[in-house]
Amino acid sequence: MNTFRELAHDSFFSAIVHLAPRFANVFVFIVIGRLAGPAQAGIFALATTYLLIFTTLMRGLDDLTIREVSRQPDLARNYLANFLLLRLALSGALYGVLVLVVRNIFAYPPGTSTPIIILTLSLVPDSLGYVALGVMLGSQRFKVPAVILSFATLVKFGGGAIIAIEGGSLAQIAWMWFAGSLISMALMMIYAINRLGWIRPGEWTDWTPLRDIWQATAPFLLITILTTIESQTDTLVLSNLHNEAEVGFYNAATTLAYSLALISQAYRLSVYPMMARFSAQTPDRLSRLNDQSLRYLGMLVLPMGVGLFLLAPQIVELVYGSRFQPTALVLRLLSPVLVFMFLNVPSARVMLVKDHQGMNTLFLFFSAVLNIGLNLTFDPRLGAQGAAFARLCSFSLNFLLTYLFVKYLLLPSNLLGLLSRPLLATLGMSGIVWILRGQFVLMTIIAGVISYCVILWFVGGITQEDLNMLRSALMRRKGQPAAE
């Protein structure tokens, strides 16, 4: 399978891996917002934010698992045993800290704290399930994990939506969330053991694989800890300075923007093992893959970011209703963040496969400090808009530092040259979207997509090589022979 087909195949199922859990979060949030209003939606968003924070604190171990299994697939079962024990201990300790923070430090009222404590109990099964998922992704097995996560999402979304429609409490929705996490963990472990075989008693106590890479563990953990601080500080600050409705307005905007960002995260999962393999075996192919990734991600995100900025009021009205109109300006401030998130994926992965996770950590530290400082400065007066401005500044700083480090020290690239034609097509599309902005928003979006594709074709943004690779991938999918 050539690089393009391999990426296309893995990215499709990787997108499901990333989108499926987010699907439940997004749609239950929307259902609660439309039925119960911004305040109840804000409490649910706060609960899922705490779960995301404490889960993501350990997510660096997943990235490390994927990298090492990609490099040494014969040790996959050993890494599974090592990281299961490590994650079990860490997740149990972190849940205790979480309960302490919610009940005693921030001292939320019972109507807020109870759903948070119940829903975040999912931290333990989620953490163990992610270990098995990381081992499978490191082995470039995406299909079955995608199916498992989709099924667990149906449990969370279906059960949560039914409870909300029937007038049930947030605590009941939280218990349904925990049940979905347990199902996901159980199925993921069954699949991993089926592929790798049962872990032998001696392998549970053999820490040699983890001991060999222990020096990389701290930077990987620090990367995700700083990422979490940088990306979730805003919600926590808002929850302590403003009411639940302000949290609801802000999370309504981040839900829309970062649902689109999951496309880039899906690509990140699929390209990461390939980059690790190229870096170790064929370094010249890594440079080409980096340029391809920047161009393809740029082609996707530029029209998304501009369209989100121009149509923010109409999109908010369509999804959440008139009670969420303060979300529109927040969404406009976040739309450039979407661009930085997409374009940062290749550079950040290159730094990891080139063993520069220490510099990656330093860049995240700078952006996290900036984010916290700006949140504390602007959130008291501007609320959700101040939080969005802080996130825009911190994400842009992280992107610039990461891209420039890779460009000048690791893999030279010309971002403006790679994106010049998509930029022209986006400019033409924006004029059409602006003219049609008063029409029904879905029709305007369709017109924008069609105009962007047509203009991109005419300015040469879609090359013959792109078409050949796409044709090759489609032929392979249909079972026809295709030239490698």
Side-chain angles (χ1 to χ4, degrees), residues 239-251:
S239 72
N240 282 274
L241 295 177
H242 299 274
N243 57 28
E244 286 84 353
E246 193 72 13
V247 176
F249 293 142
Y250 182 68
N251 277 271

Side-chain angles (χ1 to χ4, degrees), residues 64-141:
L64 184 59
T65 302
I66 293 171
R67 189 185 77 174
E68 296 307 317
V69 172
S70 297
R71 291 175 172 178
Q72 305 176 84
D74 54 313
L75 294 179
R77 192 168 61 202
N78 302 81
Y79 284 118
L80 178 64
N82 284 182
F83 283 108
L84 276 175
L85 292 176
L86 185 60
R87 290 291 283 270
L88 180 61
L90 285 174
S91 61
L94 285 174
Y95 182 70
V97 172
L98 189 154
V99 173
L100 178 66
V101 169
V102 170
R103 282 186 171 172
N104 300 103
I105 297 179
F106 289 155
Y108 295 113
T112 300
S113 62
T114 300
I116 294 175
I117 291 171
I118 296 172
L119 191 145
T120 52
L121 190 59
S122 302
L123 172 65
V124 177
D126 282 349
S127 297
L128 299 180
Y130 284 137
V131 176
L133 175 64
V135 171
M136 292 300 98
L137 297 185
S139 303
Q140 292 190 268
R141 299 183 184 277

Side-chain angles (χ1 to χ4, degrees), residues 314 318 436-445:
Q314 296 93 323
L318 175 69
L436 299 176
R437 68 190 186 282
Q439 306 301 314
F440 180 54
V441 64
L442 291 180
M443 297 301 296
T444 304
I445 291 173

